[in-house]
C-alpha cells in the first residue's frame, strides 16, 4: 500500500514540476513587459495580495504558515528569472534581521550584510542594492530609535514590513567551563533580563552591534557565552546551552523594508507612516492627532524624536492602518497639512499578517 501512495506522490510531484515551469515561463513574459514599461521587477503589494488570496482559499491540511513559506520560495525562484534582487540587512549573517529578510525574499535573493543601520540606508540610497531591511520595533523593548532617526535625513521610503517571532538562545563553545561574561545586543539583553538576573547575576554583560556579532565574539573566548539565534550558533560552530531564554514567549520583532520607490499601490490591507513637526505651543500635537480621529483612521504607533535642528523641538512619527490613496486617509492627511509645520509620507505598505 505504501508503494501505491508513493506512486501517487511521484505523479503529483511531476504535475507540480510542470506547473512550476509553466509559471516560470509566464513570469519571464511579465518581466519583459516590466522592462518595456520601465517598471521595477519586484512588486511587493502584488506579492502580498497574492499570498493573502492563497491563504483565503487554503483548505488544508497544510497550515497557512506552510503555504506562506512554500510560495515565498516559489516567488523568489521565479523572480530570479526577471532579475537578481539584492537586499541589504543589518549584519552580519545570522542576525534576526537576516532571518527576517530570508523569510520575506527567499533564498534565491542576494543578501548584503551591513555593519550598521545607517549603512543599510546608505547602500539603498547609492543604488548598490534595491532594498534594505532594518528593525523598527520589538514587542518587549519597544521602538528602535536609530531607524526612526534615519528617516529625518534620508529620502528613502518604507515599502513593506516583516514580523517574526524572536527566540533567544544561550550559546557557547564546547570547551567552556565557567561563563564570566555574556555578549549580545542591548535589545537581546532587555528581552532576556529575568533569565539573566536569575541564572547569571554576577556575570558581565558586554554589548555587541548584533546578536550574530556577539556569537562570533564568544567563539573566540572559552570563558564567555552569547545570546543569539540557532543559525548564528551553527555558523560559528558553537553549541546551544539553553533554548528559548526570552522572558516573553510571545516575543516578536517588526522590521521595515526600505527602498527608493514611493509608488506602492493598494494591496487590500495596508499601513502608512508619516513624520511631522508642529508649532511649540499648547494643543499643537492634539490638533494634529485629531485629524486622524475625525476621519476614522486607526493609529498603530506614535513616537517622538528630537529634531536635531532646534533644542527641545521634536519630530513625530505616526503609523496608522490604511493606504494613502484611501479616501478617509486622504482627508486626514489634507487636514494634517493645515495644522503642522512640515510633514512627509514615509510610505504606504502592505501589513504583515503572517503571525
Amino acid at each position: 500500500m505504501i508503494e501505491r501512495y508513493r506512486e501517487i506522490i511521484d505523479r503529483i510531484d511531476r504535475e507540480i514540476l510542470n506547473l512550476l515551469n509553466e509559471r516560470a515561463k509566464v513570469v519571464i513574459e511579465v518581466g519583459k513587459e516590466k522592462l518595456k514599461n520601465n517598471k521595477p521587477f519586484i512588486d511587493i503589494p502584488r506579492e502580498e495580495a497574492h499570498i493573502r488570496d492563497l491563504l483565503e482559499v487554503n483548505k488544508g491540511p497544510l497550515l497557512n504558515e506552510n503555504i506562506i513559506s512554500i510560495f515565498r520560495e516559489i516567488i523568489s525562484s521565479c523572480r530570479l528569472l526577471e532579475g537578481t534582487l539584492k537586499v541589504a540587512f543589518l549584519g552580519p549573517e545570522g542576525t534576526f534581521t537576516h532571518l527576517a529578510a530570508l523569510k520575506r525574499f527567499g533564498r534565491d535573493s542576494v543578501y548584503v550584510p551591513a555593519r550598521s543601520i545607517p549603512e543599510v540606508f546608505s547602500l539603498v540610497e547609492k543604488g548598490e542594492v534595491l532594498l534594505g531591511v532594518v528593525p523598527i520595533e520589538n514587542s518587549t523593548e519597544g521602538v528602535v530609535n536609530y531607524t526612526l532617526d534615519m528617516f529625518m535625513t534620508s529620502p528613502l521610503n518604507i515599502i513593506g514590513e516583516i514580523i517574526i517571532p524572536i527566540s533567544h538562545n544561550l550559546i557557547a563553545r564546547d570547551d567552556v567551563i565557567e561563563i564570566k561574561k555574556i555578549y549580545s545586543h542591548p535589545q537581546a539583553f532587555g528581552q532576556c533580563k529575568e533569565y539573566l538576573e536569575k541564572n547569571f547575576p554576577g556575570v558581565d554583560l558586554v554589548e555587541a552591534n548584533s546578536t550574530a556579532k556577539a556569537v562570533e565574539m564568544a567563539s573566540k573566548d572559552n570563558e564567555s557565552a552569547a545570546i543569539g539565534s540557532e543559525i548564528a550558533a551553527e555558523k560559528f560552530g558553537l553549541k546551544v546551552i539553553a533554548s528559548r531564554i526570552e522572558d516573553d514567549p510571545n516575543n516578536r520583532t517588526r522590521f521595515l523594508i526600505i527602498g527608493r520607490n514611493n509608488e506602492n499601490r493598494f494591496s487590500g490591507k495596508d499601513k502608512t507612516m508619516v513624520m511631522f513637526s508642529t508649532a511649540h505651543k499648547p494643543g499643537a500635537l492634539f490638533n494634529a492627532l485629531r485629524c486622524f480621529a475625525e476621519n476614522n483612521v486607526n493609529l498603530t504607533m506614535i513616537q517622538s524624536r528630537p529634531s536635531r535642528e532646534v533644542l527641545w523641538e521634536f519630530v513625530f512619527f505616526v503609523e496608522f492602518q490604511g493606504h494613502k490613496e484611501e479616501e478617509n486617509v486622504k482627508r486626514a492627511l489634507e487636514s494634517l497639512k493645515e495644522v503642522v509645520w512640515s510633514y512627509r509620507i514615509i510610505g504606504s505598505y502592505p501589513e504583515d499578517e503572517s503571525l
Side-chain angles (χ1 to χ4, degrees):
M1 195 64 183
I2 291 178
E3 289 304 316
R4 172 61 181 152
Y5 287 138
R6 285 174 176 168
E7 288 175 7
I8 294 172
I9 289 172
D10 290 347
R11 175 177 55 78
I12 293 171
D13 283 348
R14 285 192 291 270
E15 291 174 4
I16 291 172
L17 177 61
N18 289 333
L19 288 172
L20 285 173
N21 279 313
E22 287 300 313
R23 186 189 195 281
K25 291 174 185 177
V26 175
V27 168
I28 291 171
E29 296 305 314
V30 170
K32 291 176 182 177
E33 291 299 315
K34 287 179 179 177
L35 188 62
K36 190 187 303 181
N37 295 289
N38 197 29
K39 290 185 176 181
F41 67 86
I42 183 169
D43 186 343
I44 286 179
R46 153 68 184 164
E47 290 182 3
E48 293 301 319
H50 180 52
I51 293 286
R52 201 175 292 137
D53 289 343
L54 290 171
L55 297 183
E56 287 181 1
V57 297
N58 177 34
K59 296 179 180 178
L62 286 175
L63 300 175
N64 280 352
E65 61 192 65
N66 304 133
I67 298 299
I68 291 171
S69 297
I70 291 167
F71 277 90
R72 290 279 189 223
E73 291 299 333
I74 290 173
I75 291 169
S76 173
S77 297
C78 289
R79 192 194 300 122
L80 191 61
L81 299 172
E82 298 183 65
T84 301
L85 176 62
K86 296 181 71 175
V87 181
F89 67 93
L90 179 60
E93 292 182 4
T95 60
F96 289 109
T97 313
H98 185 205
L99 296 179
L102 283 168
K103 173 198 169 187
R104 177 57 187 80
F105 299 111
R107 297 187 180 276
D108 282 321
S109 298
V110 174
Y111 296 99
V112 180
R115 291 166 293 184
S116 65
I117 290 173
E119 187 177 7
V120 176
F121 275 77
S122 177
L123 288 169
V124 180
E125 288 173 10
K126 293 176 181 176
E128 295 182 26
V129 298
L130 185 63
L131 302 172
V133 177
V134 289
I136 182 62
E137 186 177 23
N138 176 262
S139 58
T140 301
E141 289 297 293
V143 167
V144 180
N145 290 323
Y146 292 133
T147 297
L148 286 181
D149 289 347
M150 289 303 302
F151 288 113
M152 287 192 273
T153 56
S154 174
L156 297 183
N157 301 290
I158 303 169
I159 61 174
E161 71 170 6
I162 311 162
I163 302 174
I164 64 169
I166 300 296
S167 181
H168 290 297
N169 306 281
L170 190 68
I171 297 164
R173 287 169 42 158
D174 283 326
D175 60 349
V176 68
I177 297 174
E178 181 183 3
I179 296 174
K180 296 182 178 179
K181 54 179 170 287
I182 297 174
Y183 300 103
S184 201
H185 188 272
Q187 286 264 338
F189 283 139
Q191 294 162 27
C192 304
K193 185 178 179 181
E194 293 177 14
Y195 173 86
L196 292 171
E197 288 177 349
K198 179 181 178 181
N199 295 281
F200 297 95
V203 170
D204 291 335
L205 304 182
V206 183
E207 293 186 358
N209 290 335
S210 68
T211 52
K213 183 64 177 177
V215 175
E216 181 184 2
M217 293 164 73
S219 71
K220 302 172 183 176
D221 183 353
N222 68 350
E223 293 186 336
S224 71
I227 296 174
S229 67
E230 287 187 33
I231 193 171
E234 292 173 8
K235 177 177 173 58
F236 294 104
L238 303 190
K239 65 178 180 179
V240 174
I241 297 175
S243 301
R244 302 191 64 83
I245 65 172
E246 64 275 7
D247 300 332
D248 181 4
N250 296 313
N251 192 19
R252 302 284 187 270
T253 293
R254 185 163 67 106
F255 301 83
L256 297 179
I257 305 168
I258 55 173
R260 286 166 288 171
N261 175 34
N262 192 28
E263 300 304 319
N264 266 2
R265 56 194 173 93
F266 183 67
S267 76
K269 192 163 186 181
D270 300 275
K271 289 180 178 177
T272 299
M273 189 183 293
V274 298
M275 55 182 283
F276 60 83
S277 58
T278 66
H280 192 50
K281 64 180 183 181
L285 179 58
F286 170 79
N287 288 333
L289 296 180
R290 186 169 59 182
C291 299
F292 299 104
E294 290 178 345
N295 287 283
N296 198 33
V297 175
N298 184 44
L299 305 187
T300 56
M301 184 188 79
I302 177 169
Q303 294 289 327
S304 64
R305 297 295 299 151
S307 72
R308 299 186 175 184
E309 293 180 358
V310 181
L311 190 64
W312 308 124
E313 290 197 357
F314 295 86
V315 174
F316 296 95
F317 292 83
V318 172
E319 183 186 57
F320 52 85
Q321 291 178 321
H323 193 279
K324 63 182 180 180
E325 296 301 326
E326 292 183 67
E327 288 304 319
N328 65 321
V329 174
K330 281 183 177 180
R331 291 194 301 270
L333 295 178
E334 286 298 322
S335 299
L336 184 67
K337 282 182 185 178
E338 303 298 321
V339 297
V340 298
W341 275 353
S342 63
Y343 100 114
R344 177 168 88 92
I345 301 173
I346 307 176
S348 286
Y349 41 93
E351 187 174 343
D352 186 350
E353 299 181 282
S354 59
L355 291 178

